[in-house]
């Protein structure tokens, strides 16, 4: 086998190889879920992705016999490091064939890059924030993949641990069957909250109704997610970008907000699973991929819970019961079969408890690793 050459991604041609390499690595990977390629081009473009304004980054490709055989991204999120008083580099979006030498060359190169910039620890896989795919999947490889979660082969876990990386945090994915009717425990909690509190639930039937709530919801997310590992508050530009990215595929039926006289105090955002649509579109939105994605989302019987939050001073006052009941009502009316928690930090007992309350179980586990430099 030929010599391994590590090359920094500098040109559009390089970036194209970086973006499409995973499709080659996973060519025979049953169930692999392609990314949305339109988003990928923006994600790795320093002029279009606003996160580069506060992040140092390097994209690297590994070549053997003049063919691309691996990739990795190195990041230093300066905002996150400043907020948390850390000097941590990150690696993310790593892909390679089952080749220990290539894996080692890539991880070592990005470690050297971070060390030269004064970092003392490496963590990952972890992107710009927790909104990017994070961690290597370590359990549940026989269950379906879903959007914004890693789709790595098991050998990636073996190779990162052989490089001296150990557990930093775990994330879990829980799935629960949707009951035929709202559980009594939710109805009781809702009744108690209604007697003691003056909250109102806001529900939606059209996307146009969502627009006035987009910025307030994302501002509340900034407030409520500060304690979540890996989260970085969104700038105004990032809020607008995130809204534009997801508004076309959101289903208003599965978005709930709770208000009182002072304003927004809680929210939850769910959406039908679009994974099958992404596969059929092969990750391409244009010219006709978007129609495949929308069609499959309408057929989906799995509800993915993407985001949710409650103001800290309002927790423990029944808002979670209000939101949970209304989400379940909408899912039952839509004849959904299962609900999926997406990625939840292992120690997030509140969120895990909501799923366990309706019989939810962990089906996948993902690990973010760490190593001193």
């Amino acid at each position: 086998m030929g010599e391994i050459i590590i090359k920094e991604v500098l040109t559009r041609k390089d970036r194209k190889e970086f973006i499409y390499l995973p499709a080659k690595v996973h060519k025979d990977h049953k169930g692999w879920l392609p990314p949305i390629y339109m988003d990928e081009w923006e994600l790795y473009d320093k002029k279009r992705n606003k996160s580069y304004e506060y992040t140092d980054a390097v994209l690297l490709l590994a070549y053997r016999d003049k063919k691309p055989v691996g990739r990795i991204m190195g990041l230093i999120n300066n905002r996150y490091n400043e907020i948390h008083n850390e000097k941590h580099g990150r690696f993310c979006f790593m892909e390679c064939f089952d080749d220990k030498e290539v894996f080692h060359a890539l991880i070592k190169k990005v470690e050297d890059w971070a060390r030269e910039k004064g970092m003392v620890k490496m963590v990952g896989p972890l992107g710009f924030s927790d909104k990017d795919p994070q961690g290597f999947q370590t359990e549940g490889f026989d269950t379906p993949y879903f959007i914004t979660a890693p789709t790595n082969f098991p050998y990636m876990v073996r190779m990162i641990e052989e490089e001296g990386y150990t557990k930093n945090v775990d994330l879990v994915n829980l799935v629960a069957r949707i009951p035929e009717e709202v559980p009594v425990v939710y109805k009781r909690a809702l009744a108690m909250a209604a007697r003691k509190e003056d909250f109102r639930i806001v529900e939606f039937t059209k996307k146009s109704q969502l627009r006035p709530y987009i910025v307030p919801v994302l501002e509340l997310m900034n407030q409520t997610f500060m304690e979540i590992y890996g989260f970085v508050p969104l700038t105004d530009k990032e809020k607008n970008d995130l809204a534009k990215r997801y508004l076309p595929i959101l289903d208003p039926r599965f978005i709930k907000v709770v208000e009182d006289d002072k304003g927004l105090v809680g929210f939850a955002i769910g959406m039908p699973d679009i994974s099958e649509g992404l596969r059929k579109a092969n990750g391409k939105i244009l010219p006709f991929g978007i129609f495949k994605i929308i069609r499959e989302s309408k057929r989906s019987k799995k509800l993915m819970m993407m985001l949710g939050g409650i103001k800290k001073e309002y927790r423990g006052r029944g808002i979670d019961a209000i939101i949970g009941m209304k989400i379940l009502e909408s899912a039952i009316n839509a004849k959904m079969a299962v609900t999926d928690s997406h990625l939840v930090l292992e120690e997030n007992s509140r969120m895990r408890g909501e799923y366990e309350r309706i019989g939810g179980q962990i089906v996948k586990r993902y690990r973010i690793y760490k190593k001193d430099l």
Side-chain angles (χ1 to χ4, degrees):
M1 298 180 72
E3 178 188 4
I4 299 168
I5 296 174
I6 305 297
K7 176 183 175 182
E8 184 175 355
V9 172
L10 297 174
T11 67
R12 181 177 175 83
K13 179 178 179 294
D14 295 338
R15 195 154 70 242
K16 183 176 181 180
E17 286 194 332
F18 189 95
I19 289 171
Y20 287 98
L21 177 64
K24 298 176 182 177
V25 172
H26 295 275
K27 181 169 66 75
D28 299 318
H29 187 176
K30 184 180 179 181
W32 178 69
L33 190 63
I36 298 175
Y37 287 112
M38 183 182 294
D39 288 347
E40 293 285 282
W41 280 102
E42 182 168 333
L43 177 67
Y44 302 117
D45 189 330
K46 293 185 178 181
K47 294 181 180 179
R48 298 168 64 193
N49 184 347
K50 308 302 187 299
S51 299
Y52 285 99
E53 293 177 2
Y54 53 82
T55 304
D56 296 330
V58 63
L59 295 174
L60 300 171
L61 276 166
Y63 290 84
R64 196 195 281 274
D65 297 326
K66 298 182 179 180
K67 295 180 181 178
V69 291
R71 73 174 201 179
I72 195 169
M73 186 178 198
L75 289 175
I76 297 172
N77 192 316
N78 295 302
R79 283 185 66 200
Y80 186 90
N81 280 350
E82 183 178 346
I83 290 170
H84 296 274
N85 193 28
E86 295 177 349
K87 289 187 176 181
H88 293 183
R90 303 178 178 188
F91 72 91
C92 53
F93 307 117
M94 190 177 189
E95 294 278 5
C96 71
F97 295 94
D98 191 357
D99 187 327
K100 183 178 179 179
E101 291 182 351
V102 170
F103 190 100
H104 172 74
L106 285 167
I107 199 73
K108 184 178 185 304
K109 188 72 173 179
V110 85
E111 287 173 358
D112 291 343
W113 171 82
R115 193 180 294 110
E116 289 169 2
K117 289 185 171 289
M119 300 299 105
V120 299
K121 183 174 287 188
M122 204 72 190
V123 297
L126 184 61
F128 291 98
S129 78
D130 65 323
K131 300 297 168 289
D132 297 315
Q134 52 185 324
F136 280 145
Q137 183 178 350
T138 60
E139 297 177 15
F141 291 96
D142 57 342
T143 55
Y145 293 103
F146 54 90
I147 187 171
T148 72
T151 54
N152 58 277
F153 284 108
Y155 62 74
M156 299 293 278
V157 175
R158 182 187 75 246
M159 290 193 287
I160 194 65
E161 292 177 356
E162 288 174 350
E163 294 291 333
Y165 282 79
T166 57
K167 173 183 173 179
N168 190 15
V169 297
D170 272 9
L171 302 105
V172 295
N173 171 224
L174 298 98
V175 172
R177 294 206 64 79
I178 292 175
E180 294 182 0
E181 61 180 38
V182 176
V184 173
V185 64
Y186 274 118
K187 293 179 180 178
R188 288 175 179 168
L190 183 63
M192 291 176 62
R195 286 197 300 268
K196 296 190 297 182
E197 308 284 1
D198 186 21
F199 298 132
R200 55 185 176 272
I201 185 82
V202 181
E203 300 183 86
F204 309 92
T205 57
K206 300 176 182 178
K207 289 182 182 178
S208 59
Q209 297 171 330
L210 298 174
R211 295 187 185 279
Y213 287 89
I214 290 174
V215 172
V217 161
L218 294 178
E219 287 176 351
L220 181 54
M221 183 182 74
N222 272 355
Q223 297 172 31
T224 58
F225 278 39
M226 284 301 294
E227 63 224 50
I228 293 179
Y229 178 80
F231 178 74
V232 181
L234 298 177
T235 65
D236 289 342
K237 291 179 181 178
E238 288 173 318
K239 290 174 192 172
N240 291 327
D241 285 350
L242 193 66
K244 286 189 293 185
R245 181 179 178 183
Y246 283 105
L247 188 59
I249 57 175
L250 289 178
D251 189 323
R253 295 175 297 170
F254 305 115
I255 299 176
K256 314 295 178 184
V257 301
V258 176
E259 299 176 318
D260 68 3
D261 292 338
K262 297 178 182 178
L264 188 67
V265 298
F267 73 95
I269 299 175
M271 60 183 284
D273 185 19
I274 65 170
S275 300
E276 190 57 33
L278 273 177
R279 287 191 191 93
K280 290 186 175 180
N282 198 26
K284 298 176 182 177
I285 297 292
L286 302 175
F288 305 115
I290 186 63
F291 300 112
K292 296 178 181 179
I293 292 170
I294 292 173
R295 182 172 64 245
E296 292 303 322
S297 73
K298 291 180 178 179
R299 294 174 177 173
S300 176
K301 296 301 179 184
K302 179 188 286 188
L303 179 64
M304 305 291 300
M305 294 308 301
M306 305 299 289
L307 293 172
I310 299 171
K311 273 189 176 181
K312 196 166 187 177
E313 62 268 31
Y314 285 81
R315 294 171 191 170
R317 293 166 62 178
I319 294 175
D320 52 348
I322 295 172
I323 293 174
M325 178 170 174
K326 290 300 181 179
I327 287 283
L328 274 178
E329 282 182 348
S330 295
I332 292 167
N333 291 337
K335 295 181 168 47
M336 289 287 183
V338 296
T339 178
D340 191 303
S341 71
H342 202 241
L343 297 186
V344 178
L345 280 168
E346 182 182 38
E347 64 265 26
N348 188 341
S349 57
R350 183 183 296 273
M351 180 61 73
R352 289 181 58 178
E354 289 301 311
Y355 273 80
E356 290 163 359
R357 184 181 292 181
I358 56 173
Q361 295 183 332
I362 295 173
V363 296
K364 290 180 182 288
R365 187 177 295 269
Y366 303 83
R367 179 159 294 174
I368 297 174
Y369 289 86
K370 64 182 178 181
K371 179 183 177 182
D372 291 335
L373 294 177

